[in-house]
Amino acid sequence: HMAIRSKSSHDYLRHNKVKLVRGGAEYFQLLDQMISEAKESIHLQTYIFDQDETGTAVADALIKAAGRKVKIYILVDAYGSQGLSDEFIDRLKEAGIYFRTFQPLFKSKRFYLGRRDHHKLVVVDSKCCTVAGLNISTRYNDTPEGPAWMDWVLYVEGEVAPALEEICKSRLKLRR
């Protein structure tokens, strides 16, 4: 067990099981397993969610989970995930998934001003979670052409999961 600092209470959360997971295929296999085993809820927040092979596989797993009546909340950054088509987003929404973008304050073809949401969190059933530098994109996955960019993921089961879920919920209420 490892003590993890809680931002809200400044106390240590002592009841957590922590595992360091390599990015690439190992992370996306873990993510698929977490989604497949979800029973109540999934919060997924990321900067980039690409409509590529990896993004489509994650979307398909989320849609299956929604079919099992799992409540799913997705928040992506409007700038980082601007490549998602309306059809892709509609497919998620039609499955009953709550999908939202973190909006820019101002954007035109030549100028951009706004805050970004760089969260890369997944919380399942308020029991397990990942905190990562990885986005949902094949660029972060291993492919036959080569390994993914080197990155690490912290997988945690325990007290920190409900705290991270509260952070996810608070971000969903932002209207930027």
Side-chain angles (χ1 to χ4, degrees):
H1 293 287
M2 183 176 186
I4 295 184
R5 189 82 172 162
S6 168
K7 184 178 178 183
S8 60
S9 68
H10 301 291
D11 293 329
Y12 285 94
L13 301 175
R14 298 187 185 282
H15 303 288
N16 292 286
K17 189 168 109 180
V18 180
K19 179 181 176 186
L20 191 60
V21 176
R22 184 180 169 87
E26 188 176 341
Y27 168 67
F28 287 104
Q29 288 165 4
L30 171 64
L31 180 59
D32 186 63
Q33 179 182 344
M34 290 171 67
I35 294 169
S36 297
E37 294 175 0
K39 292 177 177 40
E40 298 169 17
S41 64
I42 299 170
H43 286 267
L44 186 152
Q45 298 191 354
T46 190
Y47 178 68
I48 298 170
F49 196 129
D50 276 342
Q51 190 174 328
D52 56 13
E53 185 178 348
T54 298
T56 300
V58 171
D60 290 346
L62 291 166
I63 289 167
K64 274 188 190 172
R68 298 190 315 269
K69 306 294 183 214
V70 175
K71 292 181 179 147
I72 301 172
Y73 306 89
I74 299 174
L75 177 66
V76 301
D77 186 80
Y79 182 77
S81 298
Q82 63 186 309
L84 291 181
S85 70
D86 290 341
E87 293 80 17
F88 189 90
I89 294 167
D90 288 344
R91 193 168 156 250
L92 294 167
K93 289 180 176 179
E94 286 165 9
I97 294 171
Y98 179 91
F99 181 94
R100 215 183 126 234
T101 55
F102 185 89
Q103 297 289 346
L105 294 175
F106 177 78
K107 179 180 169 188
S108 74
K109 289 186 181 193
R110 293 185 301 184
F111 183 75
Y112 171 80
L113 171 68
R115 291 179 57 211
R116 302 287 24 103
D117 185 355
H118 282 275
H119 278 191
K120 294 166 191 83
L121 303 172
V122 178
V123 183
V124 174
D125 294 339
S126 203
K127 293 178 182 171
C128 64
C129 54
T130 59
V131 179
L134 284 80
N135 291 287
I136 307 298
S137 172
T138 299
R139 285 181 282 170
Y140 298 86
N141 204 347
D142 298 322
T143 66
E145 290 76 40
W149 292 343
M150 172 57 95
D151 216 330
W152 294 95
V153 177
L154 202 59
Y155 171 78
V156 185
E157 294 175 2
E159 290 180 332
V160 76
L164 283 175
E165 185 173 288
E166 287 305 312
I167 291 170
C168 288
K169 288 177 180 178
S170 73
R171 298 303 283 172
L172 289 173
K173 295 175 189 163
L174 284 180
R175 296 288 173 212
R176 298 259 182 226

